[in-house]
Amino acid sequence: MGISYNEVTRVFHLQAGNTSYVMQVYKDGYLSHLYWGRKIKKVNVQELLAGIARGSFSTNSDANDIVLTLDTLPQEYPAYGNTDFRTPAYSVQLENGTTITDLRYKSHRIIKGKPALKTLPATYVESDAEAETLEIVLTDSLLGLKAVLSYTAYNNYDVITRNVRFINEGNTNLKLLRALSMSVDFNNKDYDFVHLYGSWQKERSIERRPLLNGNQSIESRKGASGHQHNPFIALLSKNATEDQGEVYGFSLVYSGNFLAQAEVDQDETTRVSIGINPFDFSWLLKQGESFQTPEAVMVYSSNGLGDMSRTYHKLYRTRLCRGEFRDKTRPVLVNNWEATYFDFNAEKIENIAKVGKELGIELFVLDDGWFGKRDNDDCSLGDWVVNTKKLPKGLDNLANRINELGLQFGLWFEPEMVSPNSDLYRAHPDWCLHVPNRTPSESRNQLILDLSREDVCTYIIKAVSNVLSSANISYVKWDMNRNMTEIGSECLPVERQKETAHRYMLGLYRIMDEITSSFPNILFESCSGGGGRFDPGMLFYMPQTWTSDNTDAVDRLKIQYGTSIVYPISTMGSHVSAVPNHQVHRNTSLKMRGDVAMSGNFGYELDLTKFSDEEKGEVKVQVAQYKELREIIQFGEMYRLLNPFEGNETAWMFVTEDKTQAVVAYFRVLALANAPIRRIKLKGLDPNKEYSVFGKDDTYGGDELMYVGLTITDLEGDYQSIIWILKSK
Ligand code: DGJ
């Protein structure tokens, strides 16, 4: 286990969980990639490099060595311009305008544990015994350019994390044009490319397609990870399914513009890379300066997509999320957004909270509209002072009254934004992202504050902290409702303008770090028009995210299923909303809405005062049931059973690590005449344990539940759902 180096063969062998990752310092100091996959004990280098020599049009960098064209050598961090024609991992511009660099192995060190990344979010260890880290130093002696490639192998996870630090140790200025977090070469193209795509209210649909010759990529140019693509891709062997076959996952711990791609070259090898999007990016490295890339988290599984997801879930839940709430069950909440939108006052809020208390709800969240003069979305962002027209006695008073009812109080913010119609904008029109002589485009009547500026970040930290200290606030929803345009900063020199978007992210991370550390008792949930910034970077600061602005139970099946490809259940906000649903105008049963929302951090987002007595009775039961089950749901291992992208049914289940308890959720969207007998085979149970199934008289063996399955009966009509609760005897 861990990381070893063979002085003779110059081979690095990283073992992480059941995985091996092998590299070699090849002749002339190029760092070649040899193997990544199921754990092996011994490495035969000749075998792994056999066949890479070919009489092609590729140029040999060593005239005496037909093998050594970088165009066919599998590599770890390739350049462009010196015989490799494939996609480079990095690119650096010299003062003379040229871009040829030549990074070769200089030294390495292996250390226990995992160093934190300065200024960027990353996975971590709690003790040095959990992982080992290899730092390989590559240098270009002509330029004085140094790149430190960092690899961490976790002992108990099939995970390798990577990042790169560039340092200019020369005596000229250098400009990074491209600085991806990782690159890896596969020796064939026999894989499918999987990624998560979507749009606002339709986040993280799954697409699987064969790898094709040429480049296939997903990216964000929006200044946020975005609704459209998630910073994640996977390669799946052709036969891979949910439960078997090889899967390679790549996830980027970053919330801004990213690029993830797989290039199949002329020899049908595949190069995969992920990192900050080089589009509209550059970074000036003056003498002595350094640049840190975000972290890429690479997961290998030989047991299908489900196993890959469970690895990401556990790692991200326990070694990316932090703080007091990481291991705490999350409260059942009611949020007033879909209940009132901007139209509320203290009395209305208190009335909703009162019913909430009756129903067993634990937290009331006051959404948008409590500050400045905000009665709709055209003003006041940036003016984080209470709207006394709506809340004449102030926030503190409202929070106390909610607390007296027996609920915690939570509050919405959108700290990164400014409304042109706000006191903040009138005082500091230069504080938004903009470029000279052009009017910045508005979106939802708002502009984005320039978080690449220290003074703006300091203002946000102070303004938000003032509110958080002014009342008893237990939860914050941190929203962000537009993407970046006219990206430029008044404070940066000409040659650094293309650094603005990344500097914004560094500013945001600093702000979130300071605020969340100053208020460790507050549970933070991030949001961006729903799930427009649902990414690992945000989870480092805020352990949960509002999954989507689409709260329709049927659409949520796909959204939550797709999100679960990478993200743990404890990170997904999921609420019951009113019918007809406000986004798609569908009527679904309260039961199904409850069952779908229970497969996440559960809550309600509707006017509870409008419930009939009968509905209140049903909700009381839902809330009580969720409280009983939430530990299993939020922290159990998730197994996906039926895929909503493939048909009329969806099912998933959550199993405690010791396999003594499980919750199974089944959903059928449309009714079927003469429906065939449906039996659903469970997963992840102990075949030798005997389980009781709540509501059934018999007990069942774990083997029976997994190999024979449970029969689905008694469903009538559309939008049906069943929850089974299993306990071992
Ligand atoms: C977008 C969020 O996703 C919604 O939940 C809500 O908070 C609105 N913003 C408020 O403006």
Side-chain angles (χ1 to χ4, degrees):
M1 203 50 97
I3 300 174
S4 61
Y5 178 63
N6 183 322
E7 303 272 350
V8 180
T9 58
R10 303 179 88 194
V11 164
F12 296 101
H13 188 165
L14 286 63
Q15 294 186 322
N18 300 308
T19 306
S20 280
Y21 190 97
V22 187
M23 302 172 266
Q24 185 190 31
V25 182
Y26 195 64
K27 283 196 266 193
D28 297 336
Y30 292 111
L31 189 62
S32 69
H33 174 79
L34 296 185
Y35 174 75
W36 178 27
R38 241 179 130 143
K39 186 142 95 189
I40 50 174
K41 290 192 236 14
K42 203 168 87 278
V43 177
N44 183 330
V45 176
Q46 291 316 319
E47 190 63 30
L48 288 169
L49 280 181
I52 66 161
R54 54 193 70 239
S56 72
F57 208 69
S58 299
T59 319
N60 297 337
S61 61
D62 176 345
N64 301 316
D65 180 357
I66 182 134
V67 175
L68 193 52
T69 165
L70 297 179
D71 207 27
T72 60
L73 185 74
Q75 289 177 78
E76 281 295 317
Y77 205 65
Y80 168 77
N82 41 3
T83 78
D84 189 343
F85 295 101
R86 295 170 291 176
T87 304
Y90 74 98
S91 170
V92 175
Q93 189 168 35
L94 283 55
E95 275 181 350
N96 66 13
T98 63
T99 53
I100 302 305
T101 56
D102 196 5
L103 285 173
R104 314 258 186 135
Y105 171 85
K106 178 82 191 293
S107 63
H108 75 269
R109 66 177 187 144
I110 297 170
I111 51 177
K112 296 255 168 253
K114 182 175 195 290
L117 294 192
K118 275 194 204 114
T119 68
L120 281 170
T123 56
Y124 58 88
V125 291
E126 285 200 326
S127 102
D128 281 351
E130 290 180 16
E132 282 190 12
T133 297
L134 164 66
E135 288 181 349
I136 302 177
V137 178
L138 307 179
T139 54
D140 181 329
S141 49
L142 189 66
L143 306 180
L145 174 67
K146 182 159 142 184
V148 183
L149 311 189
S150 180
Y151 299 78
T152 295
Y154 275 91
N155 290 337
N156 295 325
Y157 295 92
D158 296 352
V159 171
I160 307 276
T161 66
R162 289 183 59 177
N163 70 76
V164 181
R165 197 167 72 253
F166 285 94
I167 304 144
N168 181 357
E169 293 183 341
N171 42 28
T172 60
N173 288 342
L174 298 172
K175 198 175 223 183
L176 284 170
L177 304 178
R178 180 182 187 92
L180 299 182
S181 298
M182 59 73 54
S183 176
V184 69
D185 288 333
F186 292 78
N187 63 13
N188 63 77
K189 64 158 191 180
D190 301 330
Y191 299 99
D192 287 339
F193 180 85
V194 167
H195 68 106
L196 305 173
Y197 71 97
S199 61
W200 178 53
Q201 300 190 348
K202 203 168 146 284
E203 296 91 340
R204 290 170 297 283
S205 296
I206 304 168
E207 184 167 78
R208 177 175 180 162
R209 52 181 145 109
L211 273 184
L212 300 172
N213 291 312
N215 212 343
Q216 33 256 283
S217 65
I218 56 158
E219 63 183 317
S220 167
R221 282 178 239 116
K222 296 172 186 250
S225 46
H227 298 88
Q228 195 178 339
H229 293 295
N230 199 258
F232 161 81
I233 54 174
L235 293 195
L236 270 61
S237 59
K238 292 286 180 189
N239 65 348
T241 63
E242 188 63 20
D243 304 304
Q244 57 193 30
E246 288 195 290
V247 178
Y248 297 86
F250 305 84
S251 162
L252 189 69
V253 187
Y254 191 57
S255 314
N257 291 340
F258 71 91
L259 171 68
Q261 61 187 352
E263 184 192 28
V264 177
D265 77 344
Q266 58 192 343
D267 298 318
E268 303 201 340
T269 72
T270 305
R271 172 166 290 172
V272 177
S273 48
I274 195 166
I276 291 179
N277 199 340
F279 178 85
D280 206 31
F281 163 87
S282 68
W283 196 276
L284 181 64
L285 277 184
K286 292 195 168 163
Q287 297 166 43
E289 287 182 349
S290 62
F291 180 82
Q292 175 64 59
T293 73
E295 172 171 277
V297 178
M298 299 157 53
V299 171
Y300 169 77
S301 169
S302 54
N303 298 310
L305 201 57
D307 186 56
M308 178 210 74
S309 297
R310 282 185 291 282
T311 302
Y312 275 120
H313 291 179
K314 190 156 180 211
L315 183 79
Y316 283 177
R317 184 168 63 72
T318 64
R319 293 293 179 269
L320 176 66
C321 294
R322 300 175 299 164
E324 190 177 311
F325 293 91
R326 187 189 77 175
D327 305 322
K328 268 198 184 161
T329 53
R330 310 294 160 74
V332 179
L333 66 80
V334 56
N335 175 305
N336 74 307
W337 178 242
E338 287 199 23
T340 65
Y341 295 101
F342 292 104
D343 181 19
F344 62 83
N345 56 33
E347 199 190 339
K348 225 180 195 176
I349 293 304
E350 236 184 310
N351 287 339
I352 296 177
K354 256 184 215 150
V355 182
K357 178 62 193 166
E358 245 178 75
L359 303 178
I361 289 170
E362 298 159 310
L363 164 70
F364 178 88
V365 179
L366 181 59
D367 211 279
D368 195 354
W370 60 266
F371 54 93
K373 299 191 172 67
R374 193 147 163 108
D375 289 327
N376 54 49
D377 64 16
D378 69 1
C379 72
S380 298
L381 292 170
D383 298 344
W384 300 110
V385 286
V386 72
N387 178 337
T388 42
K389 218 174 83 203
K390 288 182 186 172
L391 307 174
K393 294 188 180 151
L395 261 189
D396 185 33
N397 179 275
L398 180 65
N400 287 342
R401 277 153 53 193
I402 301 281
N403 290 163
E404 277 158 23
L405 289 171
L407 274 83
Q408 297 179 318
F409 179 71
L411 199 60
W412 179 98
F413 287 89
E414 195 177 356
E416 299 157 64
M417 299 290 153
V418 62
S419 308
N421 181 7
S422 67
D423 293 342
L424 181 67
Y425 186 76
R426 282 183 280 273
H428 300 286
D430 56 324
W431 274 16
C432 65
L433 288 177
H434 65 282
V435 297
N437 309 319
R438 291 195 192 275
T439 310
S441 309
E442 289 178 24
S443 174
R444 208 192 188 208
N445 308 305
Q446 62 199 57
L447 301 170
I448 306 189
L449 287 170
D450 178 359
L451 270 55
S452 72
R453 292 174 62 146
E454 282 280 324
D455 51 355
V456 174
C457 295
T458 306
Y459 167 79
I460 294 176
I461 293 169
K462 214 167 136 220
V464 174
S465 302
N466 281 346
V467 178
L468 296 183
S469 336
S470 75
N472 190 19
I473 293 166
S474 308
Y475 162 104
V476 164
K477 177 172 171 187
W478 185 290
D479 207 348
M480 191 283 277
N481 284 307
R482 63 159 291 182
N483 289 133
M484 290 182 191
T485 55
E486 291 88 17
I487 302 173
S489 174
E490 203 159 298
C491 291
L492 290 173
V494 176
E495 65 278 14
R496 289 200 184 273
Q497 282 299 319
K498 284 185 170 197
E499 299 176 12
T500 309
H502 181 59
R503 285 184 182 273
Y504 178 100
M505 295 320 303
L506 296 178
L508 173 65
Y509 289 147
R510 185 194 132 210
I511 292 171
M512 293 194 296
D513 205 40
E514 288 208 17
I515 295 180
T516 56
S517 325
S518 305
F519 297 92
N521 304 326
I522 294 181
L523 170 60
F524 286 84
E525 172 159 334
S526 75
C527 172
S528 172
R533 211 165 51 182
F534 202 136
D535 60 59
M538 294 304 289
L539 292 178
F540 185 66
Y541 305 95
M542 306 190 171
Q544 55 188 63
T545 302
W546 179 226
T547 312
S548 176
D549 272 351
N550 186 341
T551 53
D552 171 62
V554 174
D555 283 359
R556 272 294 185 124
L557 293 173
K558 286 187 179 158
I559 294 169
Q560 292 175 203
Y561 189 99
T563 304
S564 81
I565 295 294
V566 182
Y567 303 100
I569 294 298
S570 63
T571 64
M572 286 187 219
S574 180
H575 303 166
V576 174
S577 60
V579 286
N581 170 268
H582 293 193
Q583 293 81 41
V584 302
H585 309 282
R586 195 181 343 249
N587 282 297
T588 50
S589 66
L590 185 52
K591 164 144 175 67
M592 177 163 174
R593 279 177 281 151
D595 288 351
V596 173
M598 275 196 220
S599 298
N601 295 327
F602 187 56
Y604 292 81
E605 184 148 341
L606 42 69
D607 188 345
L608 300 174
T609 64
K610 298 204 170 125
F611 273 143
S612 66
D613 286 346
E614 194 187 330
E615 285 169 326
K616 280 187 190 162
E618 194 174 340
V619 169
K620 243 186 197 170
V621 174
Q622 280 179 344
V623 172
Q625 186 181 38
Y626 185 73
K627 285 181 183 168
E628 285 267 303
L629 303 180
R630 67 179 149 191
E631 181 115 26
I632 311 173
I633 294 171
Q634 292 172 8
F635 303 134
E637 299 195 314
M638 185 198 196
Y639 290 83
R640 293 180 292 256
L641 307 175
L642 293 171
N643 183 342
F645 295 94
E646 289 172 359
N648 194 27
E649 297 165 300
T650 305
W652 47 56
M653 62 186 286
F654 313 98
V655 187
T656 54
E657 230 168 293
D658 64 5
K659 300 190 183 299
T660 57
Q661 297 185 70
V663 176
V664 185
Y666 167 86
F667 309 92
R668 189 185 72 187
V669 176
L670 295 179
L672 297 171
N674 284 327
I677 295 172
R678 292 291 286 144
R679 212 165 267 149
I680 178 165
K681 293 182 181 172
L682 307 190
K683 297 179 189 170
L685 299 174
D686 181 341
N688 299 315
K689 280 192 180 11
E690 192 74 8
Y691 293 89
S692 65
V693 179
F694 185 76
K696 292 184 183 277
D697 296 334
D698 295 334
T699 60
Y700 299 78
D703 51 357
E704 194 183 348
L705 290 167
M706 292 194 288
Y707 315 146
V708 181
L710 280 170
T711 309
I712 294 153
T713 51
D714 306 332
L715 291 184
E716 287 175 8
D718 299 338
Y719 314 129
Q720 295 293 323
S721 57
I722 309 176
I723 300 264
W724 288 288
I725 303 160
L726 275 55
K727 280 203 167 78
S728 81
K729 291 267 139 194

